[in-house]
Amino acid sequence: MSATLSTFSDQLADAVERGARSVVSVHARPRLPSTGVHWRDGVIVTTEATVQRDQNITVTLPDGRRIPAELKGRDPSTDLAVLSIPTGQLPVATLGDPAALRPGHLVLALGRTGDGGPRAAFGAVSTTGGKWRSWKGGEIDLRIQSDLTIYPGLGGGPLVSPDATILGINSGGLSRSLATTIPVSTIDSVVTQLLAKGYVARGWLGAAMQPVRFSEAARAKAGIKGEGGLVILSVEPDAPAARAGLLVGDVIISLDGAAIEHPDQVLELLGGSVVGRTLKAELVRGGKQEKMDIVIGERPRRTR
Amino acid sequence: MSAPLKEVAAERVKASVVEVLQGASAGSGLTWAVDVVVTAAHVVRAGRLDVRLPDGQVREARVRLADRERDIAVLDVPRLGTPAVLRRDPTELRPGEVVFAIGHPLGVRHAMSAGILHAVGPLPEGYPGSRQLRRLSWVQADLRLAPGNSGGPIADSEGRVVGVSTMTVGGLALAVPITAVEALVRARAA
C-alpha cells in the first residue's frame, strides 16, 4: 500500500530515536528548559542565550534522571555554552559532516524539554555558505539555515540528518527569520577553548582605524603598490598597538603578509588563535613606508 | 516513484472529512460512525447547523454533545453516508513519524498539510499557553494549521486518524488524542 511513505516515516522516527540518545534537557533559566547535546563524554553543549544562570544548573537525561551540571564556560559571540556532567552517563553524539549539506536536504531538529521523550521538527536546508560572522562578532565556519521551526525549548538542540548523525546545534539567537545552525567544526573549536579557559580568547590591537585611499602622488612618492590602507584614528594606552609604537595617522597597508584595505580583514585576523603571536605590519608614516612588529594581545573581557 | 500519500492515505481520509458550517463560521469535521461526525467544540454552538460533504451536498446536523474543556463536539447527521475514519492510538506513534492534517484552512476546501509528530502528551512545563491547556494531553505535530482546520483529522502515514485538530500554540499544532475522543463518546453513551 503506502509502503514508500511508511518506510520514510519509519526512517525519520528511527533518526529521532537514535539522535535523541545523546540529547538532554538543560535547566538553566526560569520556566521552560532548553535542550543540550552530549558532545563529548561528560560534556554538554547548549546555546549560550538559554543559560541564564551560572549555578544550580541541572540536566535531564534520556532515561529521566535529573543530575547537576557545572557551567564550564560560555561564548556569546557564537551562542555556545559548555556544561560538564559525570562521564559515562549517556551515549556521546554521533557527529556528521555539515559541509556536505546542500539546499533541499531534509533535516530534523530535536529537543528534550523536561522529563518527557524527545520532541522533533522536520524541514529542509534553505541556504548554505562559507564562513560568516554572527551579529555578536563570532566567526562561524559554515552558514546553515533551514525552514525548521525551532519551537520554544528546542534551542540548543541538534540538527540531525535522516541517517541520525548530528550536524550542529540550532540557535534561536543568531538569526530571526530562518533557523540557524552552528556547525560541528565551530562547536569543536569553541568547546576546546571553553574547557581550557572558560571563555574564547580573541586577539586585540587596541587601535581604532578606518579605510583610506592614497593619492597617485603619495603612492608614487612612497612606492606603495596598493590603493589604500587603514588609517589609525586612536591608540589606547598600554594596548598592543601602543606598545608596538603605532601612532595616530599611521596607515597600515599590510598585516601578517596580506594587504589590508578594510577593517573586516583585521577583525578576521584577530578572530583566530592569534593571541601572543607577533604579526609583521607594513605601514606608511610621514609619506614613507615602514615595517613594525606587533605582539597581538588578548581582548579585555567585559564582565557579564 | 508512486505517490502513495495522495493516492492512498490522504484520499482515504479525505472521503471522511466534512465541512461544519454555522452562521459565518466554518470548521472541519470527521466521520466517526454511521450518521455521526466529530468536530471541535469551538466551531459549533447549540442549535441548527449544516455539514457539507466532500461531494458538495449539504446535510442538516444537530449537536449531540459538546465538551468545551476538551474542545470536542459530537454531531448527529442523518443520511450522512461518508465512511468512518480508521483510528490509531497516538501513543503508539514515535516522534518523527509522518503525519498530515486535512481540513479547510482559511476556506480552502480539503487542503492537506504534512509534517511530523513532535510529541504526544502534555505540553512541557513552562511552555506558552494557558494552564488549562497544559493540564491536558495532546497530539503535538510539526505541521501547519490555520483557522478552518479546527475539528479536522490528523492522521498517520497510512491514513489512520490519531487526533482532532484544535489550535496552534507557539506554532505547534495541537490535536485532541483520538483515544480521548473515544473515552468521551463512551462516557456520554453510558
Side-chain angles (χ1 to χ4, degrees):
Chain A
M1 291 236 294
S2 50
T4 315
L5 183 65
S6 294
T7 306
F8 177 59
S9 180
D10 277 344
Q11 280 171 355
L12 288 183
D14 285 346
V16 171
E17 195 175 306
R18 285 161 56 205
R21 287 175 191 156
S22 55
V23 173
V24 302
S25 74
V26 175
H27 308 263
R29 62 180 177 185
R31 297 175 63 82
L32 188 68
S34 62
T35 300
V37 179
H38 191 219
W39 201 261
R40 300 177 189 168
D41 196 11
V43 176
I44 302 287
V45 181
T46 185
T47 44
E48 196 271 340
T50 67
V51 179
Q52 293 178 5
R53 54 179 183 252
D54 293 344
Q55 264 144 34
N56 301 319
I57 297 172
T58 56
V59 299
T60 306
L61 307 180
D63 63 12
R65 282 181 300 140
R66 187 160 163 178
I67 61 170
E70 188 194 340
L71 178 65
K72 300 304 283 185
R74 49 168 93 230
D75 178 36
S77 78
T78 51
D79 197 21
L80 291 170
V82 169
L83 312 172
S84 75
I85 59 168
T87 55
Q89 301 297 308
L90 71 163
V92 171
T94 305
L95 304 177
D97 177 17
L101 284 176
R102 286 179 294 141
H105 270 138
L106 301 179
V107 283
L108 293 154
L110 299 191
R112 192 182 298 283
T113 48
D115 303 337
R119 317 179 75 82
F122 174 65
V125 173
S126 304
T127 62
T128 58
K131 213 172 257 192
W132 62 290
R133 193 171 291 281
S134 78
W135 63 275
K136 286 176 159 183
E139 191 175 277
I140 296 171
D141 291 338
L142 292 170
R143 182 180 289 279
I144 306 167
Q145 291 185 296
S146 63
D147 70 351
L148 288 163
T149 305
I150 305 301
Y151 294 104
L154 258 58
L159 184 79
V160 176
S161 71
D163 69 1
T165 61
I166 288 176
L167 303 170
I169 284 183
N170 301 313
S171 159
L174 290 180
S175 128
R176 296 244 178 271
S177 49
L178 289 166
T180 299
T181 302
I182 309 153
V184 168
S185 58
T186 301
I187 297 168
D188 276 337
S189 137
V190 170
V191 166
T192 300
Q193 295 177 71
L194 291 182
L195 288 175
K197 302 182 94 164
Y199 61 92
V200 174
R202 299 194 193 278
W204 186 53
L205 272 177
M209 52 194 84
Q210 78 169 36
V212 68
R213 290 175 73 86
F214 298 116
S215 67
E216 279 302 325
R219 289 177 65 198
K221 185 179 162 207
I224 305 163
K225 286 191 227 92
E227 305 218 324
L230 296 175
V231 60
I232 304 296
L233 302 175
S234 70
V235 177
E236 290 184 42
D238 293 328
R243 273 180 249 131
L246 212 57
L247 299 173
V248 171
D250 288 348
V251 179
I252 298 182
I253 54 174
S254 87
L255 205 51
D256 200 26
I260 294 280
E261 293 195 343
H262 197 276
D264 280 354
Q265 294 169 284
V266 178
L267 281 179
E268 187 158 334
L269 210 53
L270 297 178
S273 52
V274 73
V275 176
R277 264 182 65 199
T278 301
L279 298 191
K280 296 213 171 296
E282 289 181 303
L283 48 93
V284 178
R285 173 182 288 174
K288 285 201 260 332
Q289 283 201 48
E290 296 194 12
K291 290 188 197 303
M292 182 182 281
D293 287 342
I294 305 176
V295 182
I296 301 300
E298 183 177 313
R299 188 192 301 172
R301 296 199 307 136
R302 272 189 296 251
T303 44
R304 192 179 155 85
Chain B
M1 203 168 79
S2 65
L5 179 65
K6 178 179 171 293
E7 287 168 11
V8 181
E11 289 299 320
R12 177 199 288 160
V13 176
K14 185 182 152 187
S16 304
V17 175
V18 300
E19 276 178 281
V20 177
L21 308 165
Q22 191 169 36
S25 86
S28 303
L30 54 93
T31 308
W32 186 260
V34 177
D35 294 350
V36 179
V37 161
V38 163
T39 185
H42 76 263
V43 305
V44 299
R45 296 176 303 280
R48 190 205 127 106
L49 57 104
D50 288 326
V51 160
R52 178 149 59 198
L53 311 184
D55 64 7
Q57 292 189 65
V58 175
R59 300 272 189 272
E60 244 179 73
R62 189 178 62 83
V63 178
R64 184 205 297 181
L65 70 90
D67 183 316
R68 299 287 164 189
E69 189 190 73
R70 193 64 268 200
D71 197 18
I72 286 295
V74 178
L75 313 178
D76 287 318
V77 190
R79 298 185 299 115
L80 178 62
T82 46
V85 293
L86 298 175
R87 307 197 286 255
R88 180 183 178 195
D89 182 343
T91 59
E92 292 174 4
L93 289 172
R94 294 186 295 156
E97 277 193 51
V98 170
V99 291
F100 65 94
I102 290 190
H104 318 292
L106 305 168
V108 180
R109 299 181 62 197
H110 286 102
M112 187 191 88
S113 75
I116 64 164
L117 184 81
H118 181 72
V120 175
L123 290 168
E125 193 60 41
Y127 201 85
S130 69
R131 184 173 305 187
Q132 180 191 337
L133 204 70
R134 281 188 273 120
R135 215 175 41 232
L136 296 165
S137 181
W138 298 101
V139 173
Q140 302 164 37
D142 174 38
L143 57 73
R144 197 166 295 190
L145 293 185
N149 272 113
S150 290
I154 290 186
D156 73 0
S157 60
E158 295 187 7
R160 294 171 296 192
V161 173
V162 294
V164 178
S165 300
T166 300
M167 68 178 91
T168 62
V169 172
L172 191 63
L174 299 186
V176 180
I178 208 72
T179 39
V181 180
E182 284 165 354
L184 196 72
V185 172
R186 262 203 311 276
R188 296 300 179 97

